[in-house]
Amino acid sequence: MMTDVAEQSGETAGEAGGDTAARFGTDEPGAAARIAAIRERIDEIDRTLIALWQERAELSREVGATRMASGGTRLVLSREREILERFRHALGADGTQLALLLLRAGRGPL
Amino acid sequence: MMTDVAEQSGETAGEAGGDTAARFGTDEPGAAARIAAIRERIDEIDRTLIALWQERAELSREVGATRMASGGTRLVLSREREILERFRHALGADGTQLALLLLRAGRGPL
């Protein structure tokens, strides 16, 4: 599939003509085609990241609502620490930042 | 599949006994089981987010390396703006923060 994408994007990069440098940051056609192909996959990843982000925030708010409806606590800090640690372990400092954003999105309005 | 997970996690929540409140923030068994099931899906999402994050950072660095090897620019700011806008549009202020993190991770060492 990556090959198909590469071929399609290669044409696109080629057809772009004078805009190639502006769009891909290089006017070398082979490099521009390769960049276009990789960008297709990055765009696909971004669409998935956005969809998972939304699903996760919704699920997380559902957890909070379920807990409070049963007379429980609004948050479980040990669970939040576990998630922070998981992301930090996998992605380093960026992981901590990402987890903090995810946790905040999942808490919903305070 | 969500049902299977719910059943399994329901048992787990039940077996946890005195730890249920600490682990799930509620001591109501039905709510704890439901929370355990949702957490399974959240954990699955988190594993995917981490894997996609790593793949994306690698691809993004490959784009930069390809561009520079062909005598092009290190960054293409119009592309970065496009990505920021995509995340902001889908996820609001959190999306902007997420995109800034993603872009930074993809730039690699300066």
Side-chain angles (χ1 to χ4, degrees), chain A residues 41-77:
Chain A
R41 173 61 186 150
I42 288 175
D43 290 347
E44 192 176 74
I45 289 173
D46 286 353
R47 284 190 292 273
T48 308
L49 287 176
I50 287 169
L52 289 176
W53 185 281
Q54 289 167 327
E55 183 187 349
R56 192 192 194 286
E58 201 173 317
L59 288 172
S60 189
R61 285 191 289 263
E62 194 183 332
V63 166
T66 302
R67 193 154 46 223
M68 291 180 77
S70 72
T73 59
R74 197 171 64 79
L75 301 175
V76 175
L77 294 179

Side-chain angles (χ1 to χ4, degrees), chain A:
Chain A
M1 187 186 153
M2 197 65 175
T3 308
D4 291 349
V5 169
E7 281 164 8
Q8 285 166 24
S9 303
E11 286 173 58
T12 306
E15 285 163 7
D19 291 340
T20 305
R23 287 183 56 206
F24 302 103
T26 176
D27 50 14
E28 206 277 290
R34 175 76 193 132
I35 289 167
I38 298 173
R39 281 185 181 173
E40 293 264 351
R41 173 61 186 150
I42 288 175
D43 290 347
E44 192 176 74
I45 289 173
D46 286 353
R47 284 190 292 273
T48 308
L49 287 176
I50 287 169
L52 289 176
W53 185 281
Q54 289 167 327
E55 183 187 349
R56 192 192 194 286
E58 201 173 317
L59 288 172
S60 189
R61 285 191 289 263
E62 194 183 332
V63 166
T66 302
R67 193 154 46 223
M68 291 180 77
S70 72
T73 59
R74 197 171 64 79
L75 301 175
V76 175
L77 294 179
S78 60
R79 166 74 175 168
E80 296 210 346
R81 273 197 301 274
E82 189 186 299
I83 289 168
L84 264 171
E85 185 50 33
R86 175 193 300 162
F87 278 87
R88 194 197 62 73
H89 178 76
L91 305 174
D94 282 349
T96 303
Q97 293 304 308
L98 174 58
L100 288 171
L101 275 179
L102 278 172
L103 291 172
R104 200 180 59 191
R107 283 187 203 131
L110 296 191

Side-chain angles (χ1 to χ4, degrees), chain B residues 5 8 18 22-23 33 51-52 56 61 67 70 76 89 93 99-100 105:
Chain B
V5 169
Q8 284 166 23
R23 287 182 58 205
L52 290 176
R56 192 192 194 287
R61 285 191 289 263
R67 193 153 47 223
S70 73
V76 175
H89 179 77
L100 288 171

